[in-house]
Amino acid sequence: MTNTPPREPQILEFANSPAIPDFLIKDVRAKLAYIDEAVDKASIVEDGARIRLVLKSVPDESLQKAIEDKVARVVTAMVKGAFEPRLRSLEDHMDRLHAYDRDPMDELLAEREVVREGNGYYTLGPKLSRLIDYMESRFLWLAGEMQAEPYRFPALIPAEYMERVKYFSNFPHSLSFVSHLREDLEVIEDFAQHACCSHGVVDAPDHSMAAPGAMLTPTVCHHLYYALADQTIPMDGMTVTAYGHCFRYESSNMISLERLWNFTMREIIFVGPESFVKQGLEKVRKKAAPIFADLGLAYRIENASDPFFIGTFTNQTAYQNALELKFEIRALLPFKNDTVAVGSYNRHQTFFGTHLNIHMENEELPHTGCVGFGYERLAFAFVAQHGTDPKGWPEPVRAYMDDHAVC
Ligand code: AMP
Ligand code: ZN
């Protein structure tokens, strides 16, 4: 890797030798967002041969050198030993017609149907909320068909649990920590008198905050596995459903409704023998197809891997791919001629059973699996394909919108 002098004061470019292979470009780019707080935007250009970083300010020589070292570390760790994943498609409906091909975000912001509160979190107005209510009504029906038991989970999850299921080592970059002021009269009074919000962040006196014992939960199903820790479950398995807020810090990768810090999901979760989990996921996939057809959604379902951080990336993605543990529902975004995952089917084998000491009545470890439908992404892909005006939406959705309009 060689560092060429900055083209413009805030741009650093690096040549990669050899070039980053095509199948890794998105993953490497996503990780570059986390290498240094000075990085504003990272891109990989010229077919993987060059990395371009836009920095927040002009770097001095030592910062340039530090960034160069970090880029080299990320690229080496992710490219060395990587192999091209084998992609298998379970469904392909990419040829469904779409009437719209612009980025819907500008229109949604202009009509205040989407209001940005902060980086990666938005308020949604009545139109998108009703659209999501429609989707939720269909997925709730699906959960009922699967005889799933309803659960409600908190938005907080214990730090201790997250460590136990290896979240600290697999996804440290996306963690969101929850703290509060230390229980100390002086600390609280000092904060009340002197703290302020400066450049969008809390500027508090030193040592005011307690060490975080809780995190904002990154996903829904973990709460069920936690609830089952040290328990014995029936041999015929458990099917559960829950809706929840999820939090994943995605740094400068957060754009529009496509990639959020705070999003919502409906999950259907299976715990039991391997065949029970596999068959449950397959049944859900078949029953979900008519729902996506009613949404008129162009998508395909293909295998994928989770966004592990660089330390565990290569091994974990290879493992997931080889065993086909994850399949994503990837919806078309016509305006960028690309796709985005709006849902996923996941199998974790006996990972949670092992780490949480869950057993079945015959003493064996249960398998777990889940399907998650991400609502903001689904709504975003839907309007990216059908436009922001409900008059142009598929009939079943329009009918729901009409039936649920305020008179
Ligand atoms: P995953 O557990 O990573 O397979 O995510 C399940 C679903 O959650 C994805 O298919 C998306 O619909 C949604 N999702 C995941 N990450 C984000 C994000 N950063 N912003 C919005 N939706 C997301
Ligand atoms: Zn899950």
Side-chain angles (χ1 to χ4, degrees):
M1 177 165 295
T2 52
N3 180 5
T4 45
R7 289 182 340 146
E8 287 169 36
Q10 270 132 280
I11 294 182
L12 283 184
E13 280 204 4
F14 306 96
N16 301 310
S17 175
I20 298 167
D22 220 23
F23 66 87
L24 271 183
I25 285 184
K26 277 187 181 171
D27 289 308
V28 174
R29 190 182 54 216
K31 296 301 177 298
L32 290 173
Y34 298 95
I35 62 167
D36 198 289
E37 286 179 334
V39 175
D40 198 26
K41 190 169 177 280
S43 44
I44 298 176
V45 293
E46 295 175 22
D47 293 329
R50 295 181 84 76
I51 287 175
R52 182 175 299 153
L53 300 181
V54 180
L55 304 185
K56 290 174 186 153
S57 58
V58 181
D60 62 22
E61 216 172 284
S62 72
L63 179 59
Q64 264 193 51
K65 176 77 181 80
I67 292 177
E68 184 186 353
D69 287 349
K70 292 189 207 179
V71 168
R73 260 170 54 206
V74 170
V75 173
T76 308
M78 293 180 76
V79 173
K80 207 175 111 200
F83 78 105
E84 183 161 5
R86 215 162 21 93
L87 287 186
R88 190 161 71 87
S89 178
L90 297 181
E91 286 178 39
D92 193 329
H93 307 284
M94 291 294 272
D95 56 356
R96 280 201 182 128
L97 294 180
H98 55 88
Y100 192 84
D101 57 10
R102 295 195 299 276
D103 181 346
M105 203 58 189
D106 289 344
E107 276 172 50
L108 293 170
L109 285 165
E111 56 182 283
R112 296 190 69 73
E113 194 46 49
V114 165
V115 179
R116 186 180 183 277
E117 283 199 13
N119 194 14
Y121 49 108
Y122 295 83
T123 286
L124 305 186
K127 195 161 61 180
L128 291 184
S129 299
R130 267 192 202 106
L131 171 63
I132 289 176
D133 283 349
Y134 167 74
M135 296 168 178
E136 169 73 337
S137 72
R138 300 292 306 265
F139 291 126
L140 260 181
W141 167 85
L142 199 166
E145 288 281 292
M146 300 302 299
Q147 298 181 319
E149 293 279 14
Y151 275 66
R152 290 174 68 83
F153 299 129
L156 302 189
I157 194 156
E160 221 171 308
Y161 166 83
M162 298 292 275
E163 191 200 9
R164 203 164 155 190
V165 298
K166 310 280 178 228
Y167 219 90
F168 285 7
S169 47
N170 282 331
F171 306 103
H173 54 301
S174 62
L175 291 169
S176 306
F177 302 88
V178 179
S179 183
H180 53 81
L181 291 178
R182 290 195 295 115
E183 287 89 343
D184 182 316
L185 186 60
E186 276 148 30
V187 165
I188 297 171
E189 283 179 343
D190 196 22
F191 180 90
Q193 281 162 25
H194 299 114
C196 63
C197 197
S198 165
H199 303 290
V201 297
V202 179
D203 186 1
D206 287 348
H207 311 298
S208 306
M209 305 279 181
M215 339 284 287
L216 290 172
T217 189
T219 193
V220 174
C221 58
H222 280 246
H223 294 273
L224 177 68
Y225 311 141
Y226 192 36
L228 297 177
D230 306 318
Q231 305 291 307
T232 301
I233 65 147
M235 277 310 296
D236 53 356
M238 293 176 69
T239 307
V240 164
T241 189
Y243 163 91
H245 278 265
C246 302
F247 305 84
R248 297 182 195 170
Y249 183 69
E250 304 229 15
S251 182
S252 55
N253 300 318
M254 295 188 282
I255 45 154
S256 74
L257 294 187
E258 193 184 329
R259 196 163 291 281
L260 299 167
W261 187 354
N262 178 188
F263 58 95
T264 58
M265 242 203 285
R266 161 72 52 191
E267 281 203 31
I268 303 174
I269 309 158
F270 302 94
V271 186
E274 182 173 19
S275 58
F276 168 81
V277 173
K278 272 184 154 172
Q279 283 162 17
L281 291 174
E282 192 53 12
K283 230 189 248 179
V284 170
R285 184 173 69 77
K286 297 225 163 87
K287 285 178 184 286
I291 300 177
F292 292 120
D294 281 352
L295 286 167
L297 202 70
Y299 71 97
R300 64 167 176 262
I301 299 185
E302 69 185 15
N303 55 335
S305 50
D306 284 313
F308 299 99
F309 203 57
I310 51 172
T312 52
F313 179 86
T314 306
N315 289 344
Q316 296 277 43
T317 51
Y319 183 72
Q320 279 192 327
N321 183 257
L323 297 181
E324 296 195 329
L325 297 180
K326 185 177 188 81
F327 280 87
E328 283 181 339
I329 305 163
R330 301 201 63 91
L332 178 68
L333 294 180
F335 69 91
K336 60 196 309 198
N337 196 22
D338 202 354
T339 59
V340 66
V342 295
S344 68
Y345 294 87
N346 305 282
R347 289 192 294 123
H348 320 113
Q349 300 184 298
T350 55
F351 179 87
F352 290 103
T354 305
H355 290 284
L356 298 169
N357 187 35
I358 311 170
H359 287 91
M360 296 191 291
E361 282 158 338
N362 66 356
E363 311 273 300
E364 281 181 17
L365 294 168
H367 283 239
T368 62
C370 70
V371 46
F373 302 106
Y375 283 131
E376 291 75 9
R377 284 238 187 118
L378 266 171
F380 184 68
F382 178 89
V383 291
Q385 293 183 20
H386 299 302
T388 59
D389 183 353
K391 287 197 194 86
W393 293 358
E395 157 55 27
V397 188
R398 261 188 297 137
Y400 180 94
M401 301 288 284
D402 290 345
D403 284 353
H404 294 79
V406 178
C407 297

